[in-house]
């Protein structure tokens, strides 16, 4: 997660004072009613230089084993206006519209003969997975009845694409709630309801089929934004890899047995969801949302040649994302010097604010939109190349999973060097406030601050939350503690100390679900340790080498996971590694300790572990609702205020402005706010584009808060469309709220225009 400024630290101190002294004392905790239907085991890492071993194109594919497979997709688009976007922690980045709907994509793999052997891997167009969201999904599954009782804590994985351009205010812990002014039940419920619907659709479509895996490099879609920290890793280790970020995309393909058609793919590739910049405010799913959209559209258009079934679902999951960026042209100073940012700390003239990463179309005043589309296209093209190849390996073997909670506030274990070490209560370092080149910080914070704190004022601010004691300071060294969030409990927990340890297995394919953003080298070490343990313990046969991927951020959001060497540098990623220098090794140790539960011989489930706090019922919200909408004197909702021209040539932007109403009145899940309709030869109108399409943008603006008037601007970028010449019109779908609360649907229709 990229932090754009120090609002988090400042907001922390203000909340500590304001919430405790004002809200709690005066109002108490508001009741949030948001349901409306509803190891310790040492390891020894030894080198294995080929983690991924897909068949070569000339090899014959193995005879596939049969599984129960299912895919599902559903809308999770929350409030697209008047709510802070989640990712940059920028209080000024408040939603003003929608470019592309957000989705949950669910993938189920199970044993045909043993119902208990099954898992669900979910890819949500959100910043991360989350404890509150996961609890809501599990409760919703339980409410669906006995048929869904097979889906439990241990086999449901909830991951996010790490988009930084979606609505916020749905996370369990206080720290990420601060810039969104708390918890919003509408935002939360949209995600939970859509996620449940995606699982339901996948479950209802379960069919016998095969799973196979392929992989290839995808170039020019990511670079390392924290190279100086990466270079702190041992030279001998770095020499084993040709790139300083993971360029490999790994794909799972799901093929049904009845007709041999493919029903979906799920892939893993590491690149931050920060193509859309912190200064743009229109909701979208960032580059992975573009990739999924383009892949699914291509499959729908070419279903026969792609050997694809109707309803094909493409999931683009995150991988070792921690130190990656989609801003592939590097980080440059925007202070007039035209110099690259300083390698060690990403500064320009000693300051972080002017250092910005540049995407492939840097220079356009579009908030990163065109660069986002391009990085998404590169991922889609990479996945398509793998999909069309003959280099798939059949997955064969049992389906297994485990999930346990581990308390990382004081997890003692044996380090790989033989010493006994422990983790610490969560804390953020000074460089957390510096942000990254994807979203620079403010004031005098810089990355690479491993020494003594240099700003007494901000250390006082951090101390207002929870003053770190000597033990915590020593445990977190060399991190200078800015925000001691793991020991902050007022009014409720600020950050997770209890983390999720989860691994899923289908045959030789193993998925590590990480709650944090693992850096490139962290992910490599973690995957390698699991690979080695799976082989040495016989969990996976040596005749079918493991294929190990890492996906997340999943289940909760535990910020970053760096290597010890990177932690020592204390750039943004190290400062955001919550539980001290041994965080990565703790994750690896806990994972390996539970790995035997993936063995075919395992007969019992992994222990549940301690229960993390559930803050849904006590989360505070300062987010105001919609009071009422007004159309204005002599006007009506949906009235065209600025109409289209009569003709446009391809490449133009078609714009219409309507008398609007607040879109928070009705999220129109599984529906649309906007549409392009094409006239047929018989004079009838057919919808050909809507909110799912990148080329169509809906923007809402409050005109007058007293009268409740607003406008809705709909823009169609015809340079991106594949539609033929003809007669078109724009439709607007809205819902107005009257004084007293009644909500009424309405529509608006532009004039007809010719596209040539």
């Amino acid at each position: 997660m990229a932090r754009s400024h120090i609002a988090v630290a400042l907001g922390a101190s203000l909340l500590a004072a304001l919430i405790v002294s004002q809200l709690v004392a005066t109002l108490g905790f508001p009741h949030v009613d948001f349901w409306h239907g509803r190891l310790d085991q040492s390891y020894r890492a030894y080198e294995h230089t080929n983690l991924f071993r897909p068949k070569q194109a000339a090899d014959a594919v193995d005879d596939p084993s049969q599984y129960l497979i299912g895919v599902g997709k559903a809308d999770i688009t929350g409030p697209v206006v008047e709510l802070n976007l989640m990712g940059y922690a920028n209080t000024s980045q408040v939603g003003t519209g929608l470019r592309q709907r957000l989705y949950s994509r669910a993938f189920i793999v199970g044993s045909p003969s043993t119902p208990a052997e099954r898992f669900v891997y979910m890819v949500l167009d959100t910043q991360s997975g989350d404890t509150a969201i996961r609890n809501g999904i599990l409760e919703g599954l339980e409410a669906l009845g006995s048929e869904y009782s097979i889906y439990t804590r241990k086999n449901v994985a909830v991951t996010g694409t790490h988009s930084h351009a979606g609505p916020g205010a749905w996370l369990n812990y206080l720290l990420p709630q601060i810039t969104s002014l708390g918890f919003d039940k509408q935002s939360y419920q949209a995600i939970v309801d859509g996620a449940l619907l995606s699982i339901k659709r996948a479950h209802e479509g379960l069919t016998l089929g095969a799973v196979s895996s392929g992989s290839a490099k995808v170039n020019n879609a990511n670079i390392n934004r924290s190279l100086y920290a990466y270079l702190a890793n041992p030279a001998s280790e770095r020499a084993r890899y040709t790139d300083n970020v993971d360029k490999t995309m790994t794909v799972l393909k799901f093929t049904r047995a009845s007709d041999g058609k493919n029903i979906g793919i799920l892939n893993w590739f590491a690149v931050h969801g920060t193509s859309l910049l912190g200064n743009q405010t229109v909701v979208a799913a960032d580059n992975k949302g573009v990739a999924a959209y383009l892949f699914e559209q291509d499959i729908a258009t070419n279903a026969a040649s792609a050997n694809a079934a109707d309803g094909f679902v493409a999931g683009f999951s995150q991988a070792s994302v921690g130190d990656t960026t989609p801003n592939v042209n590097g980080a440059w100073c925007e202070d007039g010097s035209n110099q690259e940012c300083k390698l060690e700390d990403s500064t320009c003239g000693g300051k972080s604010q002017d250092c910005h990463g540049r995407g492939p179309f840097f220079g356009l005043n579009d908030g990163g939109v065109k660069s986002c589309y391009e990085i998404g296209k590169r991922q889609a093209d990479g996945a398509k190349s793998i999909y069309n190849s003959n280099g798939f390996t059949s997955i064969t073997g049992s389906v297994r999973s485990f999930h346990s909670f581990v308390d990382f506030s004081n997890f003692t274990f044996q380090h790989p060097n033989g010493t006994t070490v422990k983790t610490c209560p969560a804390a953020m370092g000074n460089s957390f406030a510096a942000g990254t080149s994807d979203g620079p910080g403010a004031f005098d914070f810089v990355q690479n601050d491993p020494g003594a704190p240099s700003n007494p004022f901000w250390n006082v601010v951090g101390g207002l939350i929870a003053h770190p004691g000597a033990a915590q300071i020593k445990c977190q060294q060399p991190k200078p503690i800015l925000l001691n969030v793991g020991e902050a409990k007022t009014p409720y927990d600020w950050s997770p100390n209890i983390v999720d340890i989860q691994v899923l297995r289908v045959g030789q394919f193993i998925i590590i679900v990480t709650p944090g953003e693992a850096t490139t080298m962290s992910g490599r070490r973690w995957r390698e340790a699991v690979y080695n343990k799976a082989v040495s313990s016989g969990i996976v046969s040596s005749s079918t080498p493991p294929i190990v991927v890492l996906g997340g951020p999943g289940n909760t959001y535990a910020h970053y996971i760096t290597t010890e060497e990177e932690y020592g540098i204390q750039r943004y990623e190290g400062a955001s590694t919550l539980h001290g220098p041994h965080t990565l090794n703790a994750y690896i140790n806990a994972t390996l300790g539970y790995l035997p539960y993936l063995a075919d011989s395992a007969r019992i489930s992994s222990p549940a572990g301690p229960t993390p706090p559930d803050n849904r019922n006590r989360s505070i919200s300062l987010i105001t609702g919609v009071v009422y909408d007004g159309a204005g004197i002599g006007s009506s909702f949906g009235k065209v205020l600025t109409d289209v021209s009569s003709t446009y040539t391809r490449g133009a932007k078609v714009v219409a402005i309507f008398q609007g109403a607040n879109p928070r009145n009705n999220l129109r899940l599984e529906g649309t706010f906007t549409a392009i309709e094409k006239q047929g030869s018989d004079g009838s109108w057919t919808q050909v584009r809507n909110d799912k399409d990148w080329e169509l943008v809906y923007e809402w603006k409050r005109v007058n808060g007293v009268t409740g008037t607003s406008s809705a601007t709909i823009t169609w970028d015809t340079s991106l469309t594949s539609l033929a010449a003809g007669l078109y019109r724009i439709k607007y779908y809205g819902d107005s709220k009257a004084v007293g609360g009644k909500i009424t649907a309405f529509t608006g229709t532009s004039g007809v225009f010719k596209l040539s």
Side-chain angles (χ1 to χ4, degrees):
M1 183 168 66
R3 301 278 176 187
S4 64
H5 54 59
I6 194 59
V8 172
L10 179 58
S13 65
L14 291 176
L15 270 184
L18 177 63
I19 292 173
V20 177
S21 65
Q22 298 295 324
L23 290 177
V24 177
T26 305
L27 301 176
F29 292 112
H31 177 66
V32 181
D33 180 14
F34 42 96
W35 287 273
H36 60 250
R38 283 232 303 206
L39 300 179
D40 190 318
Q41 178 154 337
S42 62
Y43 77 97
R44 179 178 178 181
Y46 54 91
E47 285 195 356
H48 182 83
T49 59
N50 189 9
L51 287 171
F52 302 104
R53 298 180 57 180
K55 296 279 189 180
Q56 298 301 310
D59 292 346
V61 177
D62 304 329
D63 292 333
S65 294
Q66 283 197 327
Y67 298 97
L68 277 178
I69 56 173
V71 299
K73 174 183 173 184
D75 191 350
I76 61 169
T77 311
V80 300
V81 303
E82 300 186 316
L83 192 67
N84 187 247
L85 303 189
M86 177 58 199
Y88 286 109
N90 184 344
T91 54
S92 64
Q93 192 187 25
V94 176
T96 58
L98 178 64
R99 178 177 296 278
Q100 182 187 41
R101 283 203 168 258
L102 313 182
Y103 293 96
S104 168
R105 294 172 171 88
F107 300 83
I108 299 177
V109 182
S111 165
S113 59
T114 309
E117 297 175 3
R118 186 179 301 185
F119 66 73
V120 184
Y121 188 93
M122 307 181 69
V123 182
L124 277 60
D125 289 332
T126 58
Q127 178 268 343
S128 65
D130 172 66
T131 301
I133 296 296
R134 189 169 189 265
N135 285 343
I137 292 170
L138 292 174
E139 290 165 359
L141 287 168
E142 186 177 3
L144 288 174
S146 59
E147 184 180 350
Y148 288 83
S149 62
I150 190 64
Y151 305 111
T152 67
R153 166 189 60 80
K154 80 167 188 174
N155 64 5
V156 174
V158 184
T159 76
T161 59
H162 203 47
S163 166
H164 284 45
W170 42 263
L171 287 101
N172 187 61
Y173 293 95
L174 183 60
L175 181 61
Q177 292 179 1
I178 289 173
T179 51
S180 63
L181 301 181
F183 188 92
D184 183 72
K185 60 185 178 181
Q186 188 183 41
S187 184
Y188 162 86
Q189 201 67 51
I191 299 171
V192 170
D193 289 350
L196 282 168
L197 182 57
S198 70
I199 295 175
K200 191 170 184 289
R201 287 171 172 167
H203 176 83
E204 291 174 345
L206 283 171
T207 183
L208 286 175
V211 181
S212 54
S213 176
S215 64
K217 274 193 171 185
V218 176
N219 293 311
N220 302 318
N222 63 356
I223 63 171
N224 196 307
R225 73 181 185 191
S226 199
L227 184 59
Y228 186 72
Y230 177 86
L231 293 173
N233 293 306
S236 59
E237 183 179 32
R238 289 185 280 111
R240 295 169 51 202
Y241 304 98
T242 57
D243 299 293
N244 54 37
V245 290
D246 289 334
K247 302 270 185 194
T248 297
M249 175 182 285
T250 302
V251 174
L252 272 187
K253 183 168 63 177
F254 301 85
T255 308
R256 68 187 180 199
S258 60
D259 57 6
K261 290 187 176 181
N262 303 313
I263 64 172
I265 64 160
L266 173 59
N267 72 70
W268 290 264
F269 181 76
V271 59
H272 247 88
T274 50
S275 289
L276 294 173
L277 306 179
N279 63 357
Q280 77 85 39
T281 54
V282 179
V283 167
D286 214 276
N287 56 65
K288 287 195 177 290
V290 171
Y293 167 74
L294 291 176
F295 197 99
E296 289 174 350
Q297 292 293 100
D298 182 73
I299 290 291
T301 303
N302 305 289
S305 60
N307 191 35
D310 291 341
F312 186 99
V313 177
F316 281 71
S317 187
Q318 199 53 264
S320 300
V321 64
D323 50 2
T324 67
T325 178
N327 295 312
V328 294
N329 289 352
W332 293 78
C333 294
E334 296 181 10
D335 58 359
S337 67
N338 198 33
Q339 299 292 313
E340 286 191 89
C341 304
K342 187 177 178 182
L343 174 67
E344 291 82 358
D345 56 15
S346 296
T347 59
C348 301
K351 299 290 185 180
S352 299
Q353 292 89 330
D354 291 324
C355 176
H356 292 271
R358 296 181 176 181
F361 287 96
F362 169 79
L364 300 178
N365 186 25
D366 66 350
V369 169
K370 192 169 183 180
S371 289
C372 180
Y373 189 87
E374 177 62 24
I375 295 297
K377 184 177 183 298
R378 292 176 187 181
Q379 291 177 76
D381 289 346
K384 184 178 178 181
S385 176
I386 298 168
Y387 179 86
N388 291 331
S389 75
N390 295 319
F392 277 81
T393 297
S394 290
I395 302 303
T396 61
S398 301
V399 179
R400 295 284 189 271
S401 62
F402 72 75
H403 175 280
S404 289
F405 291 113
V406 177
D407 188 348
F408 269 17
S409 65
N410 186 8
F411 178 63
T412 302
F413 64 100
Q414 187 178 11
H415 191 277
N417 65 15
T419 62
T420 298
V421 295
K422 68 173 186 174
T423 53
C424 329
M428 294 291 195
N430 284 4
S431 294
F432 161 74
T436 72
S437 55
D438 290 340
F443 301 100
D444 57 352
F445 289 98
V446 298
Q447 296 192 71
N448 185 12
D449 183 8
S454 59
N455 190 317
F457 173 76
W458 288 109
N459 290 310
V460 170
V461 170
L464 291 175
I465 300 169
H467 186 75
Q472 171 73 326
I473 292 171
K474 180 179 179 181
C475 187
Q476 290 280 353
Q477 286 180 347
K479 177 196 293 178
I481 298 173
L482 174 67
L483 303 175
N484 190 29
V485 289
E487 295 180 321
K489 308 293 183 181
T490 303
Y492 43 90
D493 294 64
W494 285 61
S495 288
N497 282 321
I498 297 173
V499 300
D500 302 67
I501 306 295
Q502 185 176 40
V503 180
L504 313 174
R505 173 195 162 210
V506 50
Q508 72 271 36
F509 199 95
I510 298 174
I511 307 168
I512 304 166
V513 183
T514 170
E517 300 178 50
T519 59
T520 299
M521 197 62 83
S522 295
R524 288 168 175 168
R525 291 182 188 179
W526 200 347
R527 296 196 314 269
E528 182 171 78
V530 168
Y531 180 104
N532 293 336
K533 181 73 171 183
V535 171
S536 65
S537 61
I539 294 171
V540 175
S541 170
S542 58
S543 62
T544 54
I547 302 168
V548 184
V549 296
L550 182 146
N555 297 327
T556 193
Y557 183 59
H559 294 267
Y560 280 73
I561 304 170
T562 57
T563 67
E564 291 181 14
E565 294 87 349
E566 293 163 351
Y567 186 90
I569 298 299
Q570 280 295 295
R571 280 176 59 92
Y572 174 83
E573 295 81 11
S576 303
T577 294
L578 292 181
H579 301 291
H582 305 302
T583 297
L584 170 62
N585 282 319
Y587 275 111
I588 293 174
N589 179 277
T591 302
L592 298 187
Y594 292 126
L595 210 64
Y597 290 103
L598 298 183
D600 290 354
S601 58
R603 293 292 178 264
I604 59 174
S605 296
S606 56
T611 302
D614 184 347
N615 295 324
R616 291 174 297 169
N617 276 331
R618 51 184 174 172
S619 283
I620 291 170
S621 177
L622 302 179
I623 301 164
T624 57
V626 180
V627 180
Y628 64 90
D629 294 288
I633 299 173
S635 188
S636 59
F637 294 110
K639 178 183 177 180
V640 178
L641 302 179
T642 302
D643 209 349
V644 297
S645 299
S646 59
T647 61
Y648 294 90
T649 57
R650 187 176 299 277
K653 290 186 177 181
V654 184
V655 181
I657 303 175
F658 300 86
Q659 190 71 55
N662 198 310
R664 289 197 288 157
N665 295 328
N666 182 353
L667 301 180
R668 293 191 167 265
L669 291 165
E670 300 290 311
T672 190
F673 295 118
T674 65
I676 299 296
E677 294 183 339
K678 187 176 190 297
Q679 190 174 43
S681 58
D682 61 354
S684 63
W685 292 93
T686 302
Q687 185 182 114
V688 291
R689 291 290 184 270
N690 57 37
D691 284 350
K692 76 176 186 298
D693 296 296
W694 184 263
E695 64 200 61
L696 192 59
V697 178
Y698 163 75
E699 294 176 277
W700 180 85
K701 181 180 180 180
R702 183 179 294 284
V703 176
N704 189 305
V706 175
T707 62
T709 52
S710 63
S711 64
T713 301
I714 299 172
T715 304
W716 182 27
D717 185 352
T718 64
S719 68
L720 297 174
T721 195
S722 59
L723 294 173
L727 295 178
Y728 294 90
R729 68 185 185 185
I730 295 176
K731 293 285 286 190
Y732 165 45
Y733 299 91
D735 301 86
S736 63
K737 184 175 184 179
V739 176
K742 183 180 179 181
I743 294 175
T744 305
F746 64 86
T747 61
T749 307
S750 78
V752 177
F753 58 92
K754 182 179 180 181
L755 180 67
S756 58

